[in-house]
Structures are given as C-alpha cells and as structure tokens.
Amino acid sequence: MVLDQSKDEFNVKRRNRNFWLAICLAGFIVMIFLVTIAKLSSGGMIEGFDHTLRMSVYKE
Amino acid sequence: MVQSALENESSFNEATTQDYIALLKFRVMRLAVFTAGVALVIAPASINPVVAIGSLICIGIGAGAAGALNMWWDSDIDSIMTRTSNRPIPAGKITCNQALSFGLFLTFFSVMFLGLFANHLSAALLAGTIAFYILIYTMFLKRRTSQNIVIGGAAGALPPVIGWTVSTNSIGFESILMFFLIFLWTPPHFWSLCLMTKSDYSKSKIPMLTETHGEEETKRQIILYSLLLLVPSLLISFTSVGGLFYLVSTLILNAAFLYLAISLGGFGRLNKPLRRKRERQLFLYSIFYLFAHFSILMAEFLAKFFFSFYNDFSRVLVWF
C-alpha cells in the first residue's frame, strides 16, 4: 500500500519535471530559430565560407 | 523492511520542477534581468528585439546558474540559518552534486549562447560575473571578511554593464555609473537585512559587519553608503541617459534613503519593536530604491524617444 503510494508520487513528480523540461527544450528551439531568422535578416556580420568567389576578399 | 524503507522520505525523494527553480534564486535573477534590460534599451545603439530578448534570457540563466552554484557551496550554512533552511539542498530535495551539475550546465549554456546571440565581450563579462560571484565572493570572501558583501557586490552590479555591451559592444561611461550605483547600494541593502536577521548570521558564523563590528558601526556604515550613493546617481543625471526628471527623482529617492538610514541609527535610542520596524522599512525601501532608479531611467528614455518621434511626425505633417 505504502509502496504503491510512494511509487505514484515518484512517477507524478518525474512526469511533471519531464513535462517542464520538454517545454524548456521547445522554447530553446523556438528561441534559436527566431534569433537565426533575426540575424539572417540583418545580415551584417554573417559572411561564412560558401565555396564561391566573393568580391569583398579581393583587393582592387 | 522494504516497506519501512519506503516510508522514509529520502527513499523516494525525487526533486520537483519547483525545487530546481528555487535553486536559481528567482529574486536575484529578476533584479539582474531588469537592470540589464534597462541598460540594454537605453544604450545609444539599436538592437533587434528578438536578439535583445534572447540575450536577456541568457543573462537571466547566467544569474540563475550563479545562484545554483552559490547554494551548492553554501549548503552547510544554509541548513543552519532559519531564512535559508528551506532551500532545496538543506531541505533534502536536491543533492549537492545535482545542484553543482545544474549550475555548471547553465553557466556554460548561458555564456555560450550570449556569445552567439550578442557578442564575445558580453559573454566574457557574464562568465567573469559568475566566476567572481562564486570564486571570489562565495568561496573566498563570504566566510573570511566583514567586507564580503562590499567587494562581492560587484558581481550583482555587473548586469547593467552586460546589458549595455549587448547593445553597443563596448563598455560605456554610463554603464560604469550604473555599476557603481548598484555596487554602493548593495552594502546598505544587505546590512539592513543582516540587522533584521542578526541571530541567523551569528549561528552560521559568517563574519557580517553586524557580528564583527556591532550594530552601531553597521548603522554608521549604512549612513555613509547612503551618502556615497548620491555620487553615481547624480552623475548619471548629467549623462546621455539621464535628464531633469531623473535628477529631481534621484534627489528625492536619495533624500528618503538617507532619512531612513539616519532614523535607523540616530534620533536617540529606539525601543526594540520600533528598531525592528525601521530596519524592515529600510530593507524594503532599498529594494524600491533600485527598482525606482532603473524605472526612471527607462521612463526618461521613453519620454525622449516619444518626444523625438512626435517632432519628426509633426515635421512630416508640416511638409504635407
């Protein structure tokens, strides 16, 4: 009886914690996505190696 | 036998979400995010709102990480003090190792993502703030000197500097003044708390000023720091983020702070209930004082912003 009660309590606590962890992870994914979009939209500092010739790296 | 073991609370002592949130010291985190947020907005540079919110979340997580690591190191004294005895570690809800790994994970997470979202200077400052709070204040100063919170207060004063660097990628003079405002505010704020919970600190043997130098000296020091607070707050009035509204407000706020500090120590001997009342008043007012200062800075910024917007708009109307 006590064993079942403790197990239930344990499961409820763990389920609740896992639920909030999932919410945090989802929030994190959304945040990364939005910041990526915001950075790509402004563009200024993004200039990765893209296997193409870029005029900015050549001196006139 | 199995049944009796399970009846023991520790057998199935699984930490809840609330216990992990409690590790983050939500009140300190709120103050850090608020001051950093105000500095970020009033700084003379434009920043994408999404990047700003992401950066503020990172600063908040960094502040929470520092709180978790502080609770890990101080779990022995937390269990002695009445005020902190129901924190997750002394209450047996979270183990020391869980708090340590949680704090370290959040530290790396917040610093790394602040560097990616904002700039490397902000990330370095956040890492430095957490390191200073844990290594210098928590591990070294707190149990050794009565000046622990005076020097350690630097960690709590850095969030506006981080907020400013997120926006401008440089440490401005205004952000340094905001740093000094919080730095000089911390001692009277904490000493008024110490006066309220004096027995707690004597039990835990932390060398707070109230223990090492007595209540009278602490009250004198509170008056001294409430006078010193006038310097950064007045200087802020004459920078780009200040103004006349801030100047008048800060004079009123500082006068009230000084009055409460003097009334705590001066005006003759106070009986015990009145003394407790004054200590509580000063503590609560000190919280209001800082929130009011940064709220006024924000209000000053918004007033300037809308005034310039109105000017531009009226010019366009005239043109039509």
Side-chain angles (χ1 to χ4, degrees):
Chain A
M1 185 71 181
V2 179
L3 181 77
D4 290 343
Q5 205 179 346
S6 300
K7 261 187 174 175
D8 284 346
E9 204 181 314
F10 176 84
N11 287 333
V12 166
K13 279 182 179 177
R14 184 158 273 196
R15 208 176 301 137
N16 183 272
R17 213 176 63 193
N18 290 345
F19 170 76
W20 285 108
L21 186 63
I23 294 284
C24 287
L25 286 171
F28 172 65
I29 291 164
V30 171
M31 191 170 77
I32 294 288
F33 174 73
L34 292 175
V35 171
T36 307
I37 296 295
K39 290 232 170 207
L40 285 172
S41 308
S42 59
M45 289 175 68
I46 298 164
E47 198 177 293
F49 180 65
D50 52 7
H51 300 271
T52 55
L53 292 171
R54 282 171 291 152
M55 294 310 290
S56 59
V57 296
Y58 291 102
K59 287 178 184 171
E60 284 181 20
Chain B
M1 186 163 166
V2 174
Q3 208 164 358
S4 64
L6 288 168
E7 278 167 13
N8 184 355
E9 246 182 83
S10 61
S11 303
F12 270 80
N13 213 352
E14 186 73 4
T16 61
T17 317
Q18 283 81 6
D19 297 328
Y20 277 98
I21 291 171
L23 269 186
L24 302 175
K25 288 193 178 180
F26 195 72
R27 284 179 188 170
V28 180
M29 195 168 143
R30 195 174 54 186
L31 183 72
V33 172
F34 176 66
T35 54
V38 171
L40 187 150
V41 172
I42 65 174
S46 64
I47 181 170
N48 188 300
V50 176
V51 177
I53 292 168
S55 303
L56 282 178
I57 290 171
C58 289
I59 295 170
I61 294 170
L69 291 172
N70 171 270
M71 281 198 204
W72 157 69
W73 186 262
D74 279 345
S75 58
D76 56 334
I77 48 177
D78 279 352
S79 59
I80 300 168
M81 290 166 68
T82 317
R83 185 173 67 87
T84 53
S85 60
N86 57 354
R87 281 179 176 174
I89 301 174
K93 291 169 181 171
I94 288 178
T95 64
C96 280
N97 284 341
Q98 282 173 325
L100 173 65
S101 42
F102 185 59
L104 286 176
F105 168 73
L106 291 184
T107 301
F108 286 119
F109 177 89
S110 58
V111 171
M112 187 173 78
F113 279 96
L114 187 64
L116 289 170
F117 289 175
N119 48 61
H120 293 145
L121 178 63
S122 308
L125 279 171
L126 183 64
T129 306
I130 299 170
F132 186 87
Y133 185 67
I134 300 304
L135 302 174
I136 309 290
Y137 170 69
T138 307
M139 291 182 176
F140 186 73
L141 295 170
K142 191 171 179 179
R143 300 177 196 221
R144 280 182 176 82
T145 168
S146 61
Q147 295 299 301
N148 46 15
I149 49 137
V150 178
I151 308 162
L158 275 164
V161 183
I162 302 172
W164 189 275
T165 57
V166 164
S167 200
T168 62
N169 200 9
S170 64
I171 300 169
F173 178 63
E174 292 89 342
S175 71
I176 293 170
L177 288 177
M178 282 187 260
F179 166 86
F180 276 108
L181 181 70
I182 304 178
F183 182 71
L184 293 170
W185 163 88
T186 309
H189 169 73
F190 269 98
W191 287 332
S192 60
L193 177 69
C194 287
L195 287 169
M196 280 165 63
T197 56
K198 195 174 174 288
S199 56
D200 256 4
Y201 285 105
S202 61
K203 269 194 288 180
S204 61
K205 294 189 172 60
I206 300 175
M208 296 305 284
L209 197 68
T210 44
E211 297 302 313
T212 57
H213 292 73
E215 283 193 29
E216 293 310 310
E217 180 57 26
T218 307
K219 287 170 186 172
R220 266 195 292 275
Q221 292 286 327
I222 288 175
I223 296 171
L224 175 72
Y225 275 90
S226 55
L227 271 170
L228 286 173
L229 264 173
L230 199 61
V231 179
S233 52
L234 275 180
L235 285 173
I236 290 173
S237 311
F238 302 106
T239 62
S240 62
V241 296
L244 188 66
F245 176 54
Y246 180 83
L247 176 67
V248 174
S249 309
T250 199
L251 284 172
I252 296 166
L253 285 168
N254 277 295
F257 202 113
L258 192 60
Y259 171 77
L260 285 172
I262 293 170
S263 68
L264 183 69
F267 305 148
R269 282 210 164 272
L270 302 171
N271 58 32
K272 202 177 173 184
L274 189 60
R275 207 170 61 216
R276 290 280 164 265
K277 191 183 162 193
R278 292 269 164 86
E279 287 160 5
R280 192 172 161 72
Q281 271 178 345
L282 182 67
F283 175 70
L284 293 174
Y285 179 76
S286 66
I287 298 169
F288 167 76
Y289 174 90
L290 202 67
F291 270 98
H293 259 279
F294 279 84
S295 302
I296 293 161
L297 280 174
M298 189 69 148
E300 186 89 48
F301 168 80
L302 290 174
K304 283 176 192 166
F305 177 77
F306 284 115
F307 186 69
S308 66
F309 177 76
Y310 173 77
N311 271 355
D312 293 344
F313 188 65
S314 53
R315 241 178 263 153
V316 172
L317 281 181
V318 169
W319 193 72
F320 272 107

